[in-house]
């Protein structure tokens, strides 16, 4: 029945609601006369005028205040308040008419009593329609049974959103606050967190929502870890900064990201450091459409540069980030000029043209090929882009008098076993050698590990494999990696670059390394599923060991030396790296260029072995 009504044309549904309100106004008038006169009302001629007047006054007011534009099954507190406002206006009009007309046998108190009864009838009808159309009264079979972790404001809003959706059955709240335990919110009990396991078994709970938008990441991690062993699908709300509307809807619920387990509470950025080379400056970001480059652009935009230059060789990636930043500019209300620039770092003439025309103050060089197996299979292209692309950009920056040049580097540059890592270390050597020469441009490098969610990262790969039903592919049971969130990495890159005096290799504190096999297990369990293996043949998702890929290491390192120097930021250190003087490096670069142009893979590897510490040792 509900489906048939919902399929009616909107005009028909509005007419039905108007007709219902006319009937309710007549009913409210009859009840008001009956209660006031203490007898069932059989209206005389004067009293009939009130029966006619009530809908003639009420319906235009309701139309004017938009009551017939609301969708009943989605109405909530705001719609009920609007209804009360409309009835109040109607009541004032009705009372005014009755006081002015002074009809016989019509008590003046009807101007107060009738609107009160009318409000109860209209509000009740809206609530009943909402619950009925949302599916209340239907069987609970097939509906998810939820707990909400967090009995605060966000939890109460979450419960209201669930009630409106009609697709979920809320069994209870869970909270750690002893003052809330044993109480109820809108009739739903609040339980202690220690009782979750018993509730899951007794009540058949299938899902739990974390309505904890303001807790620290460390606290969230502990809560999630305590739930891992339970057969629950865990979802969460976004952080407080994302709940700008002040209301929670079912669409706000998101799958639990692995960031909730791997990420850390970020150290608040140093506002002075962030703004130093960005505020009111012309800034160029290469690789602006990539995962790191695009986040650098978002962070830079908040510092209000005068002009932000976006360079990328991918038309689609450049278009996407440009459109996103245009929208962000409109929200910020600043007069920031965004310049999308199509071009490759392999086109040296194009880079010189850009730098001459726009005269950037700061360059963040994030353009790179970073996928280890792909670069291993295409070493010449990896060298052209990562090594000579960096050299081209650096020379163009020097020629234009750029003040600061920051290279986004990687932990894979440390004792690399693959061409990608070796090419990034060669790029570092290029900048170190240029920094050692007297010049106006301050060159620096920032080295960090994997970022969660970047293109090529294992986390989005695991998400896709989970959605497809598995298996999750892990290259080796003991492979480990460092992880950091993209926003934190981008902020630290900007701050590290501002600290540079010339030639430094900065290293970001990535926390503890994570075993990828453990990561796979966590992602399966946090989806409410089980791992299928020899001990659990009935599990949901298999984890397959596929073997190390060409050039892949078991363990990543962040430093070559063992004595990093601390900086003024607790998450940024300074590495002490050997360098090659430009006179020596220039000859090796020429040999590397000849080898790359001739697709001479052995020649490429010989130069890399000669220049890059650890490359060619084939150790893991």
């Amino acid at each position: 029945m509900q489906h048939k009504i919902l399929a009616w044309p909107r005009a028909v549904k509005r007419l039905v609601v108007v007709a219902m309100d006319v009937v309710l106004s007549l009913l409210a008038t009859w009840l008001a006369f009956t209660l006031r006169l203490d007898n069932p009302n059989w209206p005389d001629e004067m009293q009939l005028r009130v029966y006619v007047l009530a809908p003639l006054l009420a319906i235009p007011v309701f139309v004017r205040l938009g009551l017939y534009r609301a969708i009943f099954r989605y109405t909530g507190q705001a719609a009920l308040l609007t209804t009360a406002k409309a009835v109040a206006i109607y009541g004032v009009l009705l009372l005014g008419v009755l006081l002015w007309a002074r009809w016989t046998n019509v008590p003046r108190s009807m101007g107060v009593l009738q609107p009160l009864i009318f409000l109860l009838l209209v509000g009740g009808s809206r609530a009943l329609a909402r619950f009925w159309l949302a599916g209340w009264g239907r069987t609970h079979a097939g509906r998810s049974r939820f707990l909400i972790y967090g009995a605060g404001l966000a939890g109460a809003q979450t419960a209201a959103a669930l009630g409106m959706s009609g697709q979920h059955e809320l069994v209870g709240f869970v909270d750690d606050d002893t003052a809330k335990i044993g109480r109820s919110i809108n009739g739903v009990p609040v339980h202690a967190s220690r009782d979750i396991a018993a509730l899951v078994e007794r009540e058949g709970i299938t899902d739990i929502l974390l309505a904890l938008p303001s807790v620290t990441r460390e606290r969230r991690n502990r809560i999630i870890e305590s739930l891992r062993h339970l057969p629950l699908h865990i979802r969460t709300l976004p952080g407080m900064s994302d709940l700008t509307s002040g209301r929670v809807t079912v669409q706000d619920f998101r799958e639990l990201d692995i960031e909730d387990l791997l990420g850390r509470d970020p150290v608040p950025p140093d506002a002075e450091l962030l703004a130093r080379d960005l505020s009111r400056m012309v800034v160029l970001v290469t690789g602006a459409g990539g995962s790191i480059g695009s986040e650098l652009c978002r962070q830079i935009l908040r510092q209000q540069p005068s002009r932000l230059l976006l360079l990328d060789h991918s038309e689609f990636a450049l278009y996407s980030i440009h459109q996103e930043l245009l929208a962000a500019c409109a929200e910020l209300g600043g007069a920031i000029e965004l310049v999308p620039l199509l071009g490759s770092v392999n086109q040296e003439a194009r880079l010189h043209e850009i730098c001459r025309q726009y005269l950037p103050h700061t360059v963040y060089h994030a353009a790179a090929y970073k996928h280890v197996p792909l670069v291993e299979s295409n070493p010449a292209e990896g060298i052209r882009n990562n090594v000579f692309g960096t050299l081209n950009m650096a020379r163009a920056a020097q020629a234009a008098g750029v003040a600061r040049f920051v290279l986004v580097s990687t932990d894979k540059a440390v004792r690399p076993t693959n061409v990608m890592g070796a090419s990034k270390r060669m790029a570092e050597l290029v900048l170190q050698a240029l920094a050692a020469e007297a010049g106006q441009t301050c060159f620096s490098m920032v080295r960090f590990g994997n970022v969660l969610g970047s293109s090529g990262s294992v986390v989005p790969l695991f998400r896709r494999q989970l959605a497809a039903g598995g298996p999750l592919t892990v290259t080796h049971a003991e492979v480990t990696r460092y992880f950091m969130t993209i926003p934190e990495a981008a902020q630290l890159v900007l701050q590290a670059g501002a600290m540079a005096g010339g030639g430094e290799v900065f290293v970001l504190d990535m926390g503890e390394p994570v075993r990828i096999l453990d990561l796979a297990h966590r992602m399966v369990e946090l989806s409410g599923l089980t791992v299928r293996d020899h001990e659990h043949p009935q599990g949901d998702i298999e984890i397959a060991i596929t073997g190390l890929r060409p050039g892949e290491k078991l363990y990543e390192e962040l430093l070559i030396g063992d004595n990093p120097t601390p900086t003024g930021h607790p998450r940024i250190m300074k590495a002490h790296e050997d360098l090659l003087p430009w006179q020596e490096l220039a000859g090796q670069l020429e040999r590397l260029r000849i080898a790359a142009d001739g697709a001479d893979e052995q020649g490429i590897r010989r130069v890399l072995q000669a220049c890059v510490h650890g490359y060619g040792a084939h150790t893991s």
Side-chain angles (χ1 to χ4, degrees), residues 16-63:
V16 169
V17 177
V18 170
M20 182 178 69
D21 286 346
V22 169
V23 171
L24 290 177
S25 72
L26 297 175
L27 177 59
T29 305
W30 183 85
L31 287 172
F33 271 117
T34 298
L35 292 172
R36 175 64 180 81
L37 302 176
D38 204 24
N39 282 303
N41 180 243
W42 298 101
D44 60 23
E45 181 183 350
M46 291 297 180
Q47 292 171 345
L48 275 173
R49 295 180 183 183
V50 181
Y51 281 89
V52 174
L53 180 64
L56 288 179
L57 289 177
I59 300 305
V61 172
F62 283 17
V63 170

Side-chain angles (χ1 to χ4, degrees), residues 231-242:
L232 289 171
H233 184 186
I234 306 171
R235 282 184 283 173
T236 186
L237 291 173
M240 286 299 290
S241 60
D242 297 318

Side-chain angles (χ1 to χ4, degrees), residues 350-392:
R350 172 68 168 149
L351 302 181
H352 280 277
E353 170 194 323
I354 290 170
C355 289
R356 278 196 307 269
Q357 181 176 353
Y358 296 104
L359 297 175
H361 175 275
T362 308
V363 173
Y364 293 95
H365 183 54
Y369 290 147
K370 59 186 178 182
H371 195 272
V372 170
L374 285 180
V375 176
E376 201 69 18
S377 301
N378 302 272
E381 286 304 311
I383 293 298
R384 287 192 191 98
N385 197 74
N386 294 358
V387 180
F388 293 105
T390 300
L391 178 59
N392 293 340

Side-chain angles (χ1 to χ4, degrees), residues 67-263:
L67 262 62
Y68 301 121
R69 292 197 299 269
I71 302 174
F72 273 25
R73 63 186 185 276
Y74 298 143
T75 55
Q77 184 178 2
L80 291 177
L81 289 174
T82 304
T83 301
K85 179 181 176 181
V87 174
I89 294 172
Y90 154 74
V92 169
L93 294 175
L94 178 63
L95 179 61
V97 172
L98 295 182
L99 290 174
W100 173 76
R102 295 183 176 274
W103 292 320
T104 56
N105 295 330
V106 178
R108 308 298 176 261
S109 58
M110 284 291 295
V112 176
L113 186 58
Q114 195 271 357
L116 288 175
I117 296 173
F118 189 33
L119 176 61
L120 292 175
L121 292 176
V122 172
S125 70
R126 299 298 197 266
L128 286 173
R130 166 189 155 189
F131 292 143
W132 186 67
L133 291 174
W136 282 59
R138 295 186 306 208
T139 176
H140 287 174
R143 296 171 70 190
S144 300
R145 292 174 63 79
F146 271 80
L147 289 176
I148 294 177
Y149 202 122
L153 177 61
Q157 291 177 332
T158 300
L162 286 172
M164 281 188 286
S165 75
Q167 301 169 358
H168 315 285
E169 183 180 356
L170 178 59
V171 177
F173 292 90
V174 174
D175 207 284
D176 300 314
D177 185 350
T178 55
K180 296 176 181 177
I181 296 168
R183 303 176 70 179
S184 65
I185 299 175
N186 295 327
V188 181
V190 180
H191 303 275
S193 56
R194 62 177 177 274
D195 298 330
I196 293 178
L199 286 168
V200 169
E201 184 175 353
R202 184 175 70 247
E203 302 289 346
I205 307 299
T206 59
D207 298 74
I208 190 163
L209 291 177
L210 303 183
L212 304 165
S214 59
V215 299
T216 64
R217 192 176 292 279
E218 181 183 0
R219 173 66 185 137
R220 182 187 293 271
N221 292 352
R222 289 200 301 269
I223 292 170
I224 295 169
E225 278 297 305
S226 71
L227 301 173
R228 276 185 60 194
H229 68 286
L230 298 173
L232 289 171
H233 184 186
I234 306 171
R235 282 184 283 173
T236 186
L237 291 173
M240 286 299 290
S241 60
D242 297 318
L243 297 178
T244 53
S245 67
R247 296 182 63 238
V248 179
T249 69
V250 175
Q251 286 70 36
D252 289 316
F253 306 152
R254 60 176 172 83
E255 293 300 317
L256 191 68
D257 284 332
I258 204 64
E259 287 95 321
D260 291 305
L261 278 181
L262 299 183

Side-chain angles (χ1 to χ4, degrees), residues 451-504:
V451 287
L452 295 165
S454 69
S455 59
S457 169
V458 69
V459 175
L461 172 64
F462 281 173
R463 288 199 191 106
R464 291 193 297 271
Q465 291 174 337
L466 266 175
L472 271 62
T473 55
V474 179
T475 58
H476 193 285
E478 298 303 321
V479 68
T480 65
R481 293 291 181 265
Y482 291 94
F483 287 94
M484 179 180 282
T485 63
I486 295 178
E488 184 181 12
Q491 279 192 353
L492 291 175
V493 166
L494 297 177
Q495 292 173 89
M499 294 178 181
E504 296 94 339

